Amino acid sequence: MAEMLKIKLSIANRVYPLTIPPSQEEGLRKAAKKIEAMIKQFEQSYSVRDKQDVLAMCALQFASQVEQKTLDKEHVNEHVEEKLIALNLVLQEHLSS
């Protein structure tokens, strides 16, 4: 079994001990920093003091970003597929003449 790393992340004034593969440490620490920054932004912008509400807003923000990237990727894939079909038709016409 690969060696695991024990780390502690602080989010919304709570410490979360985690045991993770070392390859995940950087991503988790960056995510925790982004969450902390977003918490501060929501608390300042919307005068929200309830940590549960702020964390729910953070979760919604991150989830919507993931969903939007998925939708954008699907749109790009559809566009690429259309271009490949058109290119294939041009090649077929050229090869059959």
Side-chain angles (χ1 to χ4, degrees):
M1 181 179 208
E3 191 170 324
M4 300 297 275
L5 182 64
K6 293 184 179 200
I7 66 170
K8 292 180 181 178
L9 295 179
S10 178
I11 300 172
N13 300 323
R14 284 193 171 177
V15 175
Y16 296 92
L18 301 170
T19 303
I20 59 165
S23 61
Q24 291 182 1
E25 181 181 13
E26 183 180 2
L28 285 167
R29 291 197 186 277
K30 283 183 176 182
K33 282 185 180 181
K34 284 184 178 182
I35 292 168
E36 282 296 316
M38 195 175 288
I39 287 171
K40 284 182 184 177
Q41 179 186 356
F42 281 132
E43 286 177 339
Q44 290 171 355
S45 298
Y46 301 107
S47 300
V48 179
R49 295 287 172 242
D50 183 356
K51 289 292 184 191
Q52 185 172 347
D53 289 342
V54 173
L55 288 170
M57 292 168 70
C58 288
L60 179 61
Q61 181 81 16
F62 282 118
S64 68
Q65 289 172 0
V66 169
E67 290 302 319
Q68 189 60 51
K69 285 182 181 180
T70 301
L71 292 172
D72 292 346
K73 185 177 178 182
E74 288 173 4
H75 178 70
V76 168
N77 287 345
E78 288 172 5
H79 184 69
V80 168
E81 185 178 353
E82 290 170 3
K83 293 287 185 181
L84 287 172
I85 290 170
L87 179 60
N88 191 33
L89 288 173
V90 169
L91 287 172
Q92 285 178 352
E93 287 175 11
H94 181 71
L95 292 173
S96 64
S97 3

